[in-house]
Amino acid sequence: MRPALLIVDAQEDFLRSSNLQPARGALCGAIAQLLQAFRDARLPVVHVWTTIRHDDERMPHWRTHQDPRCREGTPGHQPPEALRPLPGERVIHKQFFSAFSSDPLAPALRNLGVDTLVLSGVLLRSCIRTTAMDAYPRGFTVWIADGAVGDDDPVHAAVTRRYLADRVARFADVDTVCREITPAPAASAKQPEVPTTRLASVLGVPVRPPDDTTGAVVHVAPGNRGHPLWQVPLGGRREVAAAAQAAHNALADWQRTPLRQREIFCETLADAIQADAEGWARRIAMDTGKPIRDARLETGFAVDLVRSAIRFARMPEVASSGTGWRARRCPLGVVAVITPWNNPLAIPLGKIVPALLHGNAVVWKPAIPGAGIAAAAHQLLAECGLPPSVVTVVQGDRTTAEQLFEDPCVAAVTLTGSAAAGDTAHVACARRRIPLQAELGGNNAAIVWEDADPADAARQIARGAFGSAGQRCTANRRTIVAAGVADAFLDALRAATRELAWGDPMDEATVVGPVISARAQQRITAEITRARAAGAETWSPVDSVAGTPGNGWYVPPTLVWSAAPGSEIVQEETFGPVLVVQPARDWDEALALCNGVRQGLVAALFSGSPEIQQRFLDGAHAGLLKLNASTAGAGADAPFGGWKDSVIGPPEHGVADVEFYTRWQTLYGLQP
């Protein structure tokens, strides 16, 4: 393989789009990582720029809309400094979408002996797509670097991704691409064996992992980066199809099982988890780096979710009837359950148990760092009496999940994950016209108003922002504080942050543990660095990552202020121990800042004023609203779901479960 990197249209005029996903900073960082890897490996790099020298060279639709972009010699025509070509790197100028619309590109690549193209840049739905399509008939193998291609129409981009992945291109994340192009290191001493989790569980029997585990992902303990825990061979179409078919085959018998028997199974499950609560908490803390005190809370929350689902399943069915007809609710069928690593027990059980109680079967695809918990939980389901294959598990990555969305046995999808995962699921489910429930995270704000106790608010917000290293969807990401009390609040917030113990997740005192991986540490640190470069001020109890405790993937709790409302650090969910502080001159500005992001999961207010509380309840655009409490956390028996970009479909839990896990059916001609 002789690869070349093509950086397509990574120019300021394209990068300044306000809706670009990934955001400009993250996208440029990913492209820069690729660029450095290719340079280090002494592999060809080609910069492809749209270049307009005269008005009549603009594409017809640009002329129609008077679009002035990419005029040669303007700042918008140039890439950012970090992506500019070095001497000797080729620059190809194009006028239309495809890089191959410029005559010199294909011969130049052939002269360099290139047979594989790695594409990065913008826009996936147009310029990246057409370049990939034009490379294909010319005989090039095409890779597209996930995370290093951006678009300002994420749903259209998700459609494009699926189309290209089925026909033309291999999608791989930036780390994978960098590993593939890096020369193999010299042989070293034999490494200790790493246990392999089940690839999939079908009919209660593990599918044998492949002998060649080069496709396996090794999971390292976040609190001890020198300690591999286990590896996961990635499930492919065969494993997905087997798991889905097995669940489908088990469905009819499970639907005939009386509700009381389903309840007994779930009650047994709750009792079993509660009986070994400490064992589950320790496993969660080890696998995810969640502090043991929070891991215990998760285990308790998991039990509460199971018991709550049982209570709501017992409620009388909401049905209607009229002259000659009656309506009832029926199960969906096989439900694909896609779960994250940050709550590897509670979130899955909060989806799987109501699905089962309402008569569905399940195929469960956990996130890779949660694979160990998933294997243990699946074994527990069988021990508690669940019939074989009513719940099957398939381990894998994003591609595995995408294959599960497309499987004809799957009748619905419930997902907790990133916005990108939600867009991919949305496209697949819309194409197949099956229900989707997706919880897609939050960029949650707490407003601290003039009459609030700054010390109390600071203590609650600091714990809500930095507990579990900020790796939960309800974590406090932003604090909006009345300008008149901003200085006092910031002082109190610094003091409250200093008081939070951080370090070993197994230590009883720890509040702030490690982040999940080296990649997460690098990503969060890069976001803080970009915020500083953009003019924001930051503060942390230690000077750098080097000052953090232990041998884990730690990021110091960090406060950020003086950031522009439209900046990346404000607009994007960091999913780490970072808290943005924004002063507000008056209530209208405070509410505008609170609502001024795409997401809308949780919002909170610290104030004792009934008038301000009512204005907050009337004006905050989020699915969960809290008074005088941090945004972090939620109840097991209350509906859980956001607004705006935080959600697709109905909420989870409580009375909301029946909305998703069943559907209406109207019966005619029944005898009275």
Side-chain angles (χ1 to χ4, degrees):
M1 180 178 74
R2 171 72 169 169
L5 175 65
L6 265 63
I7 305 176
V8 180
D9 289 344
Q11 299 162 263
E12 293 288 3
D13 275 344
F14 294 110
L15 291 168
R16 64 167 54 108
S17 171
S18 61
N19 197 39
L20 191 65
Q21 295 294 315
R24 181 188 188 280
L27 176 61
C28 291
I31 298 172
Q33 181 186 346
L34 275 177
L35 180 57
Q36 191 60 53
F38 271 80
R39 287 170 174 168
D40 290 346
R42 299 184 182 278
L43 292 170
V45 174
V46 179
H47 304 261
V48 181
W49 296 351
T50 297
T51 300
I52 305 300
R53 297 182 175 91
H54 308 287
D55 284 348
D56 57 3
E57 290 183 346
R58 289 184 294 174
M59 288 183 283
H61 71 285
W62 281 15
R63 290 199 295 269
T64 299
H65 297 293
Q66 296 296 305
D67 193 329
R69 281 183 290 180
C70 300
R71 174 74 73 159
E72 188 175 38
T74 64
H77 177 253
Q78 291 292 314
E81 184 68 35
L83 303 183
R84 293 188 182 174
L86 295 179
E89 291 178 350
R90 186 137 194 172
V91 178
I92 296 289
H93 298 276
K94 67 181 179 69
Q95 179 182 350
F96 295 100
F97 298 106
S98 173
F100 288 95
S101 65
S102 174
D103 291 337
L105 179 57
L109 294 171
R110 294 297 184 202
N111 289 339
L112 293 168
V114 169
D115 58 11
T116 300
L117 301 183
V118 177
L119 304 186
S120 63
V122 290
L123 299 158
L124 176 58
R125 72 179 189 273
S126 55
C127 299
I128 301 294
R129 178 182 183 274
T130 53
T131 298
M133 295 290 287
D134 286 349
Y136 185 63
R138 289 172 169 83
F140 293 103
T141 299
V142 180
W143 289 15
I144 299 178
D146 263 337
V149 289
D151 207 293
D152 56 9
D153 186 341
V155 172
H156 196 163
V159 173
T160 300
R161 187 185 191 281
R162 176 185 172 277
Y163 180 85
L164 293 177
D166 282 350
R167 296 165 177 81
V168 172
R170 172 189 172 186
F171 282 78
D173 62 52
V174 171
D175 288 341
T176 299
V177 174
C178 292
R179 284 196 301 269
E180 294 274 357
I181 68 166
T182 301
S188 58
K190 190 177 188 300
Q191 298 297 314
E193 288 192 12
V194 180
T196 301
T197 67
R198 302 179 194 182
L199 176 61
S201 301
V202 177
L203 297 172
V205 180
V207 173
R208 183 174 177 270
D211 294 329
D212 178 7
T213 58
T214 56
V217 177
V218 175
H219 179 59
V220 176
N224 182 0
R225 56 193 182 199
H227 179 47
L229 294 173
W230 34 257
Q231 61 181 346
V232 184
L234 305 181
R237 290 190 186 278
R238 181 181 63 183
E239 290 75 31
V240 167
Q245 185 64 56
H248 178 75
N249 293 344
L251 183 62
D253 285 345
W254 182 246
Q255 290 181 344
R256 285 192 290 267
T257 301
L259 175 60
R260 182 55 193 147
Q261 286 185 236
R262 296 182 214 151
E263 291 174 352
I264 290 171
F265 158 72
C266 294
E267 289 165 353
T268 304
L269 175 64
D271 291 343
I273 295 170
Q274 193 164 28
D276 188 26
E278 184 64 15
W280 283 104
R282 296 188 71 81
R283 182 188 287 268
I284 291 167
M286 177 64 71
D287 283 12
T288 70
K290 178 177 288 189
I292 186 68
R293 57 166 65 189
D294 286 342
R296 291 190 185 108
L297 292 174
E298 181 185 342
T299 303
F301 187 53
V303 172
D304 290 345
L305 285 169
V306 174
R307 299 198 192 285
S308 172
I310 295 169
R311 288 196 302 273
F312 281 99
R314 290 172 179 162
M315 293 174 64
E317 181 180 359
V318 178
S320 299
S321 61
T323 303
W325 64 270
R326 179 168 63 86
R328 66 182 181 182
R329 298 198 73 104
C330 300
L332 300 173
V334 175
V335 179
V337 172
I338 315 297
T339 58
W341 55 263
N342 62 321
N343 284 284
L345 184 65
I347 287 178
L349 292 184
K351 296 175 182 288
I352 292 169
V353 167
L356 297 178
L357 286 166
H358 288 291
N360 302 282
V362 167
V363 184
W364 176 16
K365 206 296 289 181
I368 288 172
I373 300 291
H378 189 248
Q379 181 177 344
L380 181 63
L381 295 177
E383 292 171 357
C384 290
L386 186 69
S389 298
V390 174
V391 175
T392 58
V393 177
V394 60
Q395 307 280 16
D397 58 6
R398 175 176 176 170
T399 300
T400 310
E402 291 170 358
Q403 292 164 350
L404 189 54
F405 301 154
E406 300 286 349
D407 191 280
C409 290
V410 170
V413 174
T414 177
L415 173 150
T416 298
S418 67
D423 289 334
T424 300
H426 199 181
V427 167
C429 293
R431 189 183 69 83
R432 297 187 56 223
R433 294 179 173 84
I434 62 174
L436 169 65
Q437 176 191 69
E439 194 278 291
L440 305 176
N443 191 358
N444 313 303
I447 300 174
V448 179
W449 209 236
E450 295 163 337
D451 64 319
D453 178 345
D456 176 65
R459 281 192 295 271
Q460 293 197 55
I461 290 170
R463 188 172 286 270
F466 302 131
S468 296
Q471 297 174 123
R472 46 187 173 180
C473 59
T474 59
N476 247 129
R477 307 283 176 213
R478 301 175 294 132
T479 295
I480 297 151
V481 56
V485 297
D487 290 342
F489 174 75
L490 197 54
D491 288 343
L493 193 56
R494 288 194 190 98
T497 302
R498 286 192 196 97
E499 291 174 1
L500 299 177
W502 56 307
D504 181 0
M506 307 306 292
D507 189 324
E508 298 287 343
T510 297
V511 176
V512 186
V515 296
I516 190 65
S517 65
R519 163 54 57 193
Q521 183 191 57
Q522 294 162 2
R523 174 185 58 78
I524 297 163
T525 302
E527 291 178 7
I528 296 168
T529 300
R530 290 194 297 270
R532 289 195 198 103
E537 299 178 66
T538 65
W539 175 89
S540 173
V542 299
D543 293 334
S544 69
V545 172
T548 58
N551 190 37
W553 304 114
Y554 290 94
V555 176
T558 302
L559 304 179
V560 179
W561 65 95
S562 301
S567 63
E568 178 186 1
I569 199 71
V570 174
Q571 290 294 320
E572 301 300 319
E573 181 185 21
T574 54
F575 212 74
V578 179
L579 177 65
V580 176
V581 180
Q582 299 173 279
R585 293 175 301 240
D586 55 35
W587 177 255
D588 288 342
E589 184 180 24
L591 194 61
L593 291 170
C594 177
N595 293 334
V597 296
R598 293 190 308 276
Q599 306 89 346
L601 182 56
V602 195
L605 169 69
F606 286 84
S607 173
S609 164
E611 178 190 355
I612 291 296
Q613 289 180 0
Q614 191 60 52
R615 293 176 72 181
F616 169 74
L617 296 176
D618 290 343
H621 297 166
L624 284 69
L625 302 182
K626 295 187 172 186
L627 297 176
N628 297 308
S630 164
T631 63
D637 55 356
F640 182 89
W643 289 9
K644 303 191 291 185
D645 282 13
S646 289
V647 70
I648 302 170
E652 302 176 306
H653 309 330
V655 294
D657 282 336
V658 72
E659 295 180 38
F660 177 70
Y661 291 106
T662 67
R663 55 189 168 184
W664 282 106
Q665 186 177 61
T666 303
L667 312 177
Y668 290 89
L670 299 177
Q671 296 299 317

